Amino acid sequence: MTYDVFVVGGGPSGATAAEDLARAGKRVAMLDRDGRIKPCGGAVPPRAIQDFAIPDDLIVAKVSTARMISPTGRSVDIHIENGYVGMVDREHFDEFLRVRAVQAGADRLTGTYLRIERDSAGTHVVWRDKASGEERRSLTKLIIGADGARSVVARDEVPGGDTIPYVIAYHEIIKAPEAMAAANADYDPGRCDVIYDGRISPDFYGWVFPHGAQASVGMGTGIDGVNLKEATAALRASAGLTACETIRREGAPIPLKPLDRWDNGRDVVLAGDAAGVVAPSSGEGIYYAMLGGRVAATAAQAALASGKARDLKLARKLFMKDNKTVFKVLRSMQDAYYKSDDRRERFVSLCHDIDVQKLTFEAYMNKKLVAARPLAHLKIGVKNVAHLMGWVKPSWT
């Protein structure tokens, strides 16, 4: 069979692209390795639930509070007004998305991507079938590379695809303790804990995220030599979670900067982690991955309709139109506050400000920067400068 689009990768980005293309009547294949579970806190904001029709039975926990914890142990609870952040388990969430793509009409292939070959007949994706171990060649008009942060498609086909910066994320899925029980007296199944502490992560953060009957405990770093397992063990100990049963352990790279180019000018366009669309500072990726898959599918449809490869550029153009400013602000925040424990202490101090809380969570929930009162912006700006210039104590709120 000749496909209109061959999607490499069956995570949230690839599955979303495959579903959208299939619903549009395109002949689409989705190649996935099967069995891999990406380490992920699993947070999905209301915007993602709404835009991508995520059913309620996939939401394993509904978080109403985020707790920011500083290097000295100070904490601030940020309450989510008039809503919640949904938590999903990637093992079941990703499979649901793949099944939904197949139900829409996509062909699901299980195996490993090897390379792209081109000849007089056209473009072929060469892949190894998992069941037989044999190499297969699939003829296609276009390819969407949604094969993760260390994307082989990006490395081979797109300029800059082999140099994308990333952090390594590691987490352990544990059996959740009973709330308020013994050593776990501070665990709350309706609260996400974000730990800004150089002893856990020298350049990013650690987390304890509830997943219903389970919980995700992990951290991320871009610095070589950090022992991720030891750091996570220290985090579990500080949170009173050492004795909890460990269900599985997972690690993977998380990109933190969108690539400058997402297509090869011919027949390939990138999506999701392969394009680098994970939010700086927060490391949030599910919503942006699914949006990346959607804009890649839109660009592919445009290129198929026009016959012009330049229409593949539409994917990055559409994504950055709505998210460039948000990513720029988050990158600036990470660069300013994640470099030392003194700065991390100051960041948590800023989080005490009610206007900062409202601005941050409205932007997170709705995926756009919101207009605040001019005086609120001024106050936040003054506090920010005061902390960055060291004019006030780190504990000043």
Side-chain angles (χ1 to χ4, degrees), residues 36-373:
R36 179 183 178 275
I37 308 169
K38 181 182 175 182
C40 177
V44 286
R47 178 72 183 271
I49 295 171
Q50 174 184 332
D51 287 3
F52 300 102
I54 298 172
D56 193 66
D57 61 1
L58 281 177
I59 307 300
V60 296
K62 295 181 178 180
V63 170
S64 58
T65 304
R67 172 170 289 181
M68 310 297 185
I69 303 173
S70 80
T72 61
R74 291 191 311 135
S75 65
V76 54
D77 286 356
I78 303 176
H79 301 285
I80 302 170
E81 298 178 0
N82 304 317
Y84 64 88
V85 173
M87 308 300 293
V88 298
D89 187 318
R90 291 292 298 271
E91 179 180 12
H92 305 294
F93 180 73
D94 289 16
E95 179 62 12
F96 165 81
L97 296 177
R98 289 189 284 266
V99 170
R100 189 163 70 174
V102 171
Q103 291 173 340
D107 285 350
R108 181 176 181 176
L109 309 176
T110 303
T112 305
Y113 167 83
L114 298 176
R115 62 190 178 275
I116 295 171
E117 295 179 351
R118 298 177 179 90
D119 56 25
S120 59
T123 299
H124 306 262
V125 175
V126 183
W127 54 284
R128 188 177 305 281
D129 180 72
K130 182 177 181 179
S132 67
E134 298 177 353
E135 282 195 12
R136 304 285 176 86
R137 296 174 88 241
S138 298
L139 185 62
T140 186
K141 297 175 183 176
L142 297 174
I143 298 162
I144 293 178
D147 52 333
R150 290 175 174 165
S151 167
V152 180
V153 176
R155 182 196 68 192
D156 293 346
E157 294 289 332
V158 178
D162 58 344
T163 59
I164 185 169
Y166 58 84
V167 300
I168 298 295
Y170 171 81
H171 80 158
E172 297 176 357
I173 295 294
I174 65 173
K175 183 177 180 181
E178 294 183 12
M180 307 306 290
N184 315 117
D186 201 35
Y187 178 80
D188 185 342
R191 187 188 73 220
C192 283
D193 291 355
V194 185
I195 299 91
Y196 298 98
D197 188 337
R199 292 167 295 183
I200 302 300
S201 171
D203 60 324
F204 207 54
Y205 64 81
W207 68 82
V208 178
F209 287 176
H211 283 189
Q214 301 175 353
S216 165
V217 185
M219 50 78 69
T221 182
I223 297 178
D224 292 338
V226 176
N227 190 312
L228 282 72
K229 291 185 178 180
E230 287 185 1
T232 301
L235 176 55
R236 287 182 62 169
S238 67
L241 301 173
T242 300
C244 294
E245 176 187 349
T246 301
I247 298 171
R248 64 178 191 264
R249 299 177 174 89
E250 298 151 359
I254 307 293
L256 293 180
K257 183 181 179 182
L259 288 174
D260 293 332
R261 183 170 175 177
W262 293 8
D263 69 282
N264 68 348
R266 185 175 184 178
D267 51 14
V268 173
V269 63
L270 304 177
D273 281 11
V277 293
V278 174
S281 180
S282 68
E284 181 198 357
I286 294 178
Y287 168 76
Y288 294 113
M290 297 180 79
L291 179 61
R294 176 150 292 170
V295 296
T298 299
Q301 291 180 65
L304 289 170
S306 68
K308 298 176 180 178
R310 67 169 180 261
D311 284 339
L312 294 176
K313 297 184 183 299
L314 184 62
R316 190 179 191 279
K317 183 178 180 181
L318 288 173
F319 186 94
M320 299 308 285
K321 178 183 177 183
D322 290 335
N323 298 287
K324 181 178 181 179
T325 302
V326 172
F327 273 51
K328 184 177 180 180
V329 169
L330 291 175
R331 166 55 61 184
S332 297
M333 186 172 72
Q334 180 175 335
D335 291 344
Y337 286 108
Y338 286 19
K339 60 178 59 177
S340 70
D341 273 353
D342 177 83
R343 289 289 183 90
R344 283 184 275 267
E345 195 74 37
R346 294 176 183 278
F347 175 67
V348 174
S349 291
L350 281 176
C351 291
H352 281 274
D353 188 285
I354 297 299
D355 289 311
V356 170
Q357 294 180 17
K358 289 184 177 181
L359 199 64
T360 299
F361 266 90
E362 285 178 12
Y364 171 78
M365 302 283 271
N366 300 308
K367 296 302 161 203
K368 60 182 179 181
L369 296 177
V370 294
R373 301 181 307 277

Side-chain angles (χ1 to χ4, degrees), residues 376-396:
H377 272 300
L378 178 61
K379 183 180 71 172
I380 293 169
V382 169
K383 285 189 173 184
N384 190 54
V385 170
H387 275 294
L388 292 178
M389 296 302 292
W391 295 339
V392 295
K393 295 181 178 179
S395 58
W396 183 71

